[in-house]
Amino acid sequence: MTDNKNQNLILKPPVVVVMGHVDHGKSSILDYIRKTNVTEKEIGGITQKLGAYEVVHNNSKITFLDTPGHEAFNTIRERGTIVADIAILVIAADEGIKAQTEEALNLILSHNLPFIVAFNKIDKPEANIEKVKQELANKEVYVESYGGKIPSVNVSAKTGEGINELLDLILIQAEMLELKANPALKAKGVVIESKLDPGRGPIATVLVQNGTLRGGDPFVVGLYSGRVRAMFADTGEQVHEATPSMPVEVLGISGVPSAGDPFQVVESEKYARQIAQKRQELVRLESAQKVKKVTLEDLNAMIKEGEIKELKIVIKADVDGSVQALRDSLQKLSTNDIRVKVIHAATGGINESDVMLASASNAIIIGFNVRPNRKSREMAEAAGIDMRMYEVIYKVLDDMTAALSGMLTPTVEEVVTG
Ligand code: GDP
């Protein structure tokens, strides 16, 4: 990097994802922010859902990923890394921590994503913020007003109370993170959403992460290539340039890419086409072999190759006592070469969110006296996740110890038919 290039670095707006339990008010908060912070020009204009939108607060831009709920688990991940710079963990103050709050929190913590807690629905008489703070403290998450470091804010998406403060907090976080980009470079970004429009062909919402994207730029996106034929901002307006952290709809792609696909401007359309063809070939070759996920069978080899330094585990068990016992004894198996880290432990059967979390974090799943439902079994199979059921604790520990030392004897897979 030359000095010249560093001089081009500018601060870029933060990209924010809103997470939390269903019905805790994620969409309401996103809607409220969008409604009250759009620029003059957009009011009355055709605002469209691009999967992300920009707002201006105190003269600074913030980009929100507009995919609340479980899709956010995937939207914030771009091939294992995170698209969002900051997460907002929304917790309804009348309900407190729920299953998906916990999942969101686990995902945030396992990816070291900076976050802000928004206690929502404070207009409700049943709201009990102190109680929720206590619940968070029980999970070792200490908010600032509870002697900790995690910023938090009390909001109501209904009355709008606290929303400005939330936006202030986002900008403060962003300032501390010093998110930088170089607008002089060729654009690089990630696909947030995509579709096939019957009239206009394949369309992708691209979140520009670095550089500047311009009309006419040749690019590769996932398995496809193209040249920017037209670009539209989240306001519906046609734009000719997109700068870092800006989401834009891009037209002119040879096919429909997937959310999470990397987008990269290259020298020429011909070169772009060659890369796309290469990638398609590779996918054909690889489709026979599954994506490599951590499995207990390969664990020792992966440790030796230095491919993993941390074994992440999701534990589901029938009773709380077993959850605690498993969590404690598994974590104690950590060695100098590998850290055993339980990223989620709870009572209950293995559900889809457990599998999603395991997939997002490349974890294995251990079920103790519980079973996966059909959907989660299928999901785990498709994603190549190692999911193991046990009925005695010493067997779990035996297997794990054997896996860590590379002595695991292959188990006969349980086959479920019908
Ligand atoms: P999401 O599933 O997390 O996106 O939750 P929604 O935004 O759809 O909100 C769920 C319900 O809670 C809706 O009926 C909202 O109107 C309501 N709601 C959201 N925020 C608030 C709030 O701050 N106060 C009150 N009283 N209701 C809210």
Side-chain angles (χ1 to χ4, degrees):
M1 292 286 125
T2 62
D3 284 339
N4 202 13
K5 270 197 174 147
N6 285 332
Q7 274 169 15
N8 286 327
L9 284 181
I10 53 148
L11 285 174
K12 66 172 174 176
V15 177
V16 178
V17 65
V18 176
M19 302 173 84
H21 194 68
V22 63
D23 280 346
H24 277 198
K26 298 177 294 294
S27 310
S28 305
I29 290 174
L30 282 164
D31 288 348
Y32 190 91
I33 292 172
R34 181 166 189 165
K35 223 173 43 223
T36 46
N37 290 273
V38 286
T39 55
E40 288 293 324
K41 189 161 42 175
E42 297 161 28
I43 293 171
I46 339 147
T47 46
Q48 39 179 24
K49 291 257 172 184
L50 286 200
Y53 64 83
E54 280 183 315
V55 299
V56 178
H57 179 67
N58 294 344
N59 295 320
S60 298
K61 283 183 177 177
I62 304 172
T63 300
F64 282 92
L65 295 176
D66 193 12
T67 38
H70 264 89
E71 289 154 63
F73 276 95
N74 294 317
T75 310
I76 64 164
R77 282 187 305 120
E78 168 215 357
R79 303 272 180 264
T81 63
I82 296 227
V83 171
D85 303 304
I86 298 169
I88 308 295
L89 181 64
V90 177
I91 312 177
D94 58 335
E95 290 208 338
I97 295 184
K98 293 277 166 185
Q100 289 157 357
T101 318
E102 218 169 307
E103 286 158 23
L105 189 57
N106 286 329
L107 200 72
I108 288 168
L109 295 176
S110 71
H111 284 90
N112 291 321
L113 183 64
F115 70 108
I116 296 166
V117 178
F119 299 108
N120 190 31
K121 307 201 186 184
I122 52 161
D123 58 284
K124 286 186 147 188
E126 313 89 278
N128 188 346
I129 300 160
E130 287 311 307
K131 182 159 167 258
V132 190
K133 285 181 184 169
Q134 176 63 52
E135 286 176 4
L136 281 170
N138 293 344
K139 305 234 167 278
E140 289 174 30
V141 173
Y142 303 98
V143 294
E144 270 172 354
S145 51
Y146 210 85
K149 292 225 164 66
I150 310 292
S152 74
V153 57
N154 305 338
V155 300
S156 164
K158 191 175 170 190
T159 65
E161 193 183 339
I163 300 286
N164 267 326
E165 222 176 315
L166 171 63
L167 297 173
D168 288 344
L169 281 181
I170 294 171
L171 291 179
I172 293 170
Q173 268 292 337
E175 212 174 291
M176 290 194 297
L177 291 170
E178 290 193 53
L179 310 162
K180 297 216 169 117
N182 181 351
L185 296 177
K186 288 192 176 74
K188 191 179 160 299
V190 58
V191 175
I192 300 290
E193 266 186 16
S194 60
K195 62 180 177 197
L196 183 63
D197 184 282
R200 303 185 295 171
I203 300 180
T205 301
V206 173
L207 178 71
V208 177
Q209 294 173 299
N210 205 356
T212 302
L213 180 62
R214 297 189 174 81
D217 277 350
F219 60 82
V220 189
V221 57
L223 301 178
Y224 305 100
S225 62
R227 182 179 281 280
V228 179
R229 205 169 70 214
M231 286 195 289
F232 298 90
D234 55 350
T235 54
E237 257 181 308
Q238 183 157 9
V239 290
H240 302 287
E241 265 190 16
T243 47
S245 297
M246 188 168 160
V248 274
E249 267 196 333
V250 173
L251 273 65
I253 316 169
S254 65
V256 184
S258 308
D261 276 350
F263 177 99
Q264 171 84 61
V265 169
V266 293
E267 293 90 73
S268 71
E269 218 177 335
K270 185 174 164 209
Y271 184 49
R273 221 168 16 239
Q274 284 169 351
I275 298 174
Q277 272 163 9
K278 258 271 149 28
R279 286 186 182 167
Q280 290 185 8
E281 259 166 52
L282 278 176
V283 166
R284 274 192 291 273
L285 285 173
E286 277 173 7
S287 65
Q289 309 155 260
K290 279 257 171 69
V291 191
K292 194 167 184 193
K293 290 271 185 203
V294 173
T295 67
L296 285 192
E297 255 103 25
D298 299 338
L299 186 61
N300 194 251
M302 290 174 101
I303 298 170
K304 283 204 178 117
E305 298 288 317
E307 284 176 44
I308 58 164
K309 298 246 176 298
E310 191 171 75
L311 173 64
K312 295 180 183 161
I313 305 179
V314 172
I315 299 172
K316 291 303 284 280
D318 54 343
V319 292
D320 204 46
S322 308
V323 173
Q324 299 308 334
L326 279 168
R327 186 209 289 265
D328 292 346
S329 36
L330 284 174
Q331 290 190 152
K332 283 200 192 111
L333 296 177
S334 296
T335 65
N336 287 337
D337 296 328
I338 187 147
R339 195 159 89 97
V340 179
K341 186 175 177 187
V342 175
I343 57 166
H344 178 53
T347 52
I350 296 162
N351 56 37
E352 286 108 289
S353 350
D354 296 324
V355 179
M356 252 188 263
L357 175 64
S359 179
S361 318
N362 202 5
I364 65 163
I365 302 176
I366 288 180
F368 188 76
N369 283 326
V370 294
R371 309 203 57 78
N373 60 29
R374 191 181 52 85
K375 191 83 201 297
S376 29
R377 183 183 289 275
E378 284 168 5
M379 270 174 67
E381 262 165 34
I385 291 168
D386 196 343
M387 181 157 77
R388 286 162 185 257
M389 306 306 137
Y390 293 92
E391 276 150 19
V392 272
I393 288 200
Y394 83 80
K395 188 75 181 96
V396 183
L397 300 178
D398 272 5
D399 273 11
M400 208 58 74
T401 313
L404 289 166
S405 58
M407 305 295 280
L408 189 73
T409 41
T411 46
V412 180
E413 289 276 326
E414 187 184 358
V415 182
V416 175
T417 46

